[in-house]
Amino acid sequence: MSSVFQTYMELGFHHIFDFGAYDHMLFLLALSAIYTLSDWRKVIALVTSFTIGHSITLALSTFNILKFDTALIEFLIPVTILITCITNFFKLKGAATKQHPIWSLHNLMAIFFGLIHGMGFSNFLRSLLGRSSHVWEQLLAFNIGIELGQLLIVTILLVIGYLVMNLFHAKKRDWIMVLSSMAAGIALILIMETSIF
């Protein structure tokens, strides 16, 4: 692995854990809230769907093919979190027994919302790239780093959920409600703090 590739993969990995960009972690929390540890394959598919989405707009933005209003993206990112939480609330009925297919409309939603989040990542990446001749390599490495970081985040969330539901005997429905309500509340605050308002 080249030093350039490794450097940008590490940048992507650490960026997803940057508390200055915690809105992306919050989205992952909302996205995976309805799943349990036994659903890990579905969660990987979901996270990868999100990565596909943000990789597309991240690439388009990096090469200046796609231009957008930064204030609008800062508004739309918490909106994606809020919408995801609202869909979780609609899934509360029967949450304890419902089986989720590996590929579903949830994955399409993750791809679509990933397109929006990719534009949020792009400003950070553009500031790093400059006039590099290894843009494609750096872009790929950065996205792989983000994917690995996202997988670690959802793994931690699934393990915590497993412990809460099995050691403390919390109901799955209640766990989904707590996570989704918390994420929705923070998303509303972020929406109100954007320059659009």
Side-chain angles (χ1 to χ4, degrees):
M1 185 184 297
S2 74
S3 60
V4 171
F5 191 93
Q6 184 171 349
T7 297
Y8 276 82
M9 188 170 71
E10 289 174 0
L11 282 169
F13 181 85
H14 291 300
H15 182 60
I16 201 69
F17 284 97
D18 180 3
F19 284 101
Y22 69 91
D23 49 354
H24 300 294
M25 285 191 275
L26 198 62
F27 178 76
L28 291 170
L29 183 150
L31 196 65
S32 59
I34 63 172
Y35 297 98
T36 60
L37 195 57
S38 61
D39 297 317
W40 65 270
R41 291 182 184 84
K42 299 161 192 172
V43 177
I44 289 175
L46 200 61
V47 170
T48 301
S49 298
F50 179 56
T51 300
I52 289 168
H54 70 60
S55 296
I56 293 169
T57 47
L58 187 53
L60 292 174
S61 301
T62 300
F63 290 104
N64 292 314
I65 297 171
L66 178 66
K67 297 182 187 289
F68 53 87
D69 182 352
T70 303
L72 178 61
I73 299 306
E74 288 175 355
F75 167 75
L76 289 176
I77 286 175
V79 167
T80 66
I81 299 167
L82 183 60
I83 292 172
T84 304
C85 292
I86 291 170
T87 63
N88 289 349
F89 295 142
F90 280 108
K91 293 173 182 176
L92 284 175
K93 187 176 180 180
T97 57
K98 186 172 180 181
Q99 295 296 312
H100 304 280
I102 287 181
W103 181 259
S104 67
L105 288 176
H106 214 195
N107 296 77
L108 293 177
M109 183 177 75
I111 292 174
F112 179 72
F113 288 166
L115 295 172
I116 296 170
H117 284 251
M119 289 181 264
F121 288 131
S122 65
N123 286 335
F124 173 78
L125 185 58
R126 266 201 305 262
S127 68
L128 295 173
L129 291 175
R131 298 189 178 187
S132 171
S133 59
H134 303 281
V135 174
W136 280 110
E137 181 183 1
Q138 293 164 342
L139 192 58
L140 175 62
F142 187 77
N143 278 305
I144 290 173
I146 287 178
E147 171 79 347
L148 293 174
Q150 290 175 163
L151 289 173
L152 180 57
I153 288 169
V154 295
T155 298
I156 291 169
L157 289 170
L158 292 177
V159 169
I160 292 172
Y162 176 84
L163 294 174
V164 168
M165 284 181 273
N166 288 275
L167 294 182
F168 300 100
H169 307 293
K171 293 181 180 177
K172 181 179 177 183
R173 186 181 186 280
D174 295 339
W175 178 242
I176 295 171
M177 189 71 178
V178 168
L179 290 184
S180 300
S181 298
M182 180 183 70
I186 297 172
L188 281 170
I189 293 170
L190 290 174
I191 289 169
M192 298 305 295
E193 287 179 345
T194 58
S195 57
I196 287 180
F197 288 94

